[in-house]
């Protein structure tokens, strides 16, 4: 029931067209690029609540990769069965059901992206592979489209994981430095480009009257005690 009482319900109403009568790709909490994509799906198959489906699929994907990489690590380190399966059982029964039932857009990108980040922490393969870095970068970029603030935090964790991965695979040499520079330039440009475009679109759709109204809405609806 948490899904029906949080901001995700409002996002879904906007994207699906419940509020405006037709699928609307803009919402202040998410990136317009994601809004374009989901509003397209709502136009094609309006019977499906695509925002909710996307949220659940993202979390399940992140959980799958966490479990997958944990099992790989335990097998590599020759951990016992208790050490291997007890954390999985605990998370499956006590942690993930809570977040899956709420499906909050503040948590979805974190679970989704962290699942891919764990791939960078697995035992080394002896060399830097573009795929090993590219996939977590794409996951982090997609997560930031769901929530910018969460994406910023995840980008910091991603950078630390990439740094660890490059040093572990190559040691301190020119190839490691070159890989880090390429990562910072390409990922940084992609991240900033997506969100600068979102700011540009927002500046075209959010008038001064809307901003003034929204400040009042935040004070009296989101934080009524202020």
């Amino acid at each position: 029931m948490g899904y029906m009482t949080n901001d995700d319900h409002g996002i879904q109403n906007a994207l699906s067209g419940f509020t405006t009568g037709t699928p609307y790709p803009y919402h202040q909490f998410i990136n317009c690029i994601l809004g374009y994509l989901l509003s397209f799906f709502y136009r094609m198959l309006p019977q499906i609540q695509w925002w909710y489906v996307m949220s659940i699929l993202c979390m399940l994907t992140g959980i799958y990769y966490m479990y997958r990489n944990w099992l790989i690590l335990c097998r590599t380190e020759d951990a016992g069965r208790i050490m291997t399966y007890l954390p999985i059982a605990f998370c499956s029964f006590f942690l993930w059901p809570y977040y899956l039932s709420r499906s909050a857009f503040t948590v979805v990108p974190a679970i989704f992206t962290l699942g891919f980040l764990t791939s960078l922490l697995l035992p080394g393969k002896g060399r830097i592979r573009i795929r090993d870095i590219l996939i977590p970068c794409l996951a982090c970029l997609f997560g930031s489209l769901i929530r910018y603030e969460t994406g910023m935090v995840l980008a910091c964790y991603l950078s630390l994981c990439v740094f660890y991965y490059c040093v572990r695979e190559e040691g301190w040499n020119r190839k490691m430095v070159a890989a880090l520079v390429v990562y910072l330039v390409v990922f940084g440009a992609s991240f900033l480009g997506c969100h600068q475009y979102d700011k540009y679109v927002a500046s075209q759709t959010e008038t001064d009257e809307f901003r003034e109204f929204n400040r009042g809405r935040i004070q009296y609806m989101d934080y009524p005690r202020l």
Side-chain angles (χ1 to χ4, degrees):
M1 292 300 294
Y3 179 80
M4 301 299 293
T5 58
N6 60 22
D7 291 320
D8 291 77
H9 191 56
I11 297 172
Q12 175 181 281
N13 287 342
L15 295 176
S16 65
F18 180 83
T19 303
T20 61
T22 183
Y24 188 69
Y26 309 117
H27 193 283
Q28 60 181 339
F29 290 158
I30 67 172
N31 193 289
C32 64
I33 297 174
L34 181 61
Y36 290 142
L37 177 63
L38 290 177
S39 62
F40 169 78
F41 283 116
Y42 274 113
R43 292 178 189 275
M44 295 296 102
L45 287 172
Q47 299 85 357
I48 299 176
Q49 293 297 347
W50 289 104
W51 176 259
Y52 180 73
V53 170
M54 182 214 69
S55 299
I56 295 298
L57 287 179
C58 283
M59 286 192 287
L60 290 177
T61 301
I63 292 170
Y64 164 77
Y65 272 95
M66 288 184 196
Y67 285 171
R68 169 185 174 272
N69 293 330
W70 174 253
L71 291 173
I72 292 175
L73 179 63
C74 289
R75 184 169 62 249
T76 303
E77 299 296 330
D78 197 22
R81 290 187 177 181
I82 295 179
M83 184 61 186
T84 300
Y85 295 107
L86 184 60
I88 293 178
F90 176 83
C91 292
S92 298
F93 285 101
F94 298 104
L95 184 63
W96 302 134
Y98 171 78
Y99 290 112
L100 287 169
S101 65
R102 291 190 60 82
S103 183
F105 82 112
T106 53
V107 178
V108 169
I111 296 176
F112 174 73
T113 306
L114 288 175
F116 289 92
L117 294 189
T118 56
S119 300
L120 294 170
L121 305 178
L122 292 175
K125 302 177 180 65
R127 61 187 178 88
I128 295 176
R129 300 193 305 179
I130 296 178
R131 182 183 64 183
D132 292 341
I133 300 177
L134 179 61
I135 294 177
C137 286
L138 292 176
C140 183
L141 190 61
F142 182 80
S144 72
L145 299 181
I146 302 175
R147 180 173 170 82
Y148 172 73
E149 290 79 3
T150 306
M152 286 290 292
V153 175
L154 292 170
C156 295
Y157 281 109
L158 172 65
S159 299
L160 291 174
C161 290
V162 170
F163 177 75
Y164 169 80
Y165 170 84
C166 292
V167 172
R168 184 194 64 204
E169 298 295 341
E170 292 291 338
W172 294 91
N173 56 33
R174 292 182 179 179
K175 188 174 182 180
M176 183 275 293
V177 174
L180 285 177
V181 171
V182 171
Y183 154 75
L184 290 173
V185 172
V186 175
F187 178 75
S190 301
F191 189 93
L192 292 176
C194 288
H195 294 287
Q196 286 300 317
Y197 176 71
D198 181 66
K199 288 183 179 180
Y200 169 76
V201 172
S203 68
Q204 303 300 310
T205 57
E206 294 182 4
T207 62
D208 292 336
E209 291 183 7
F210 172 82
R211 294 190 184 95
E212 184 175 349
F213 163 78
N214 198 45
R215 284 195 294 268
R217 181 195 66 81
I218 291 173
Q219 180 176 356
Y220 293 106
M221 294 179 65
D222 292 350
Y223 306 101
R225 296 182 181 179
L226 295 181

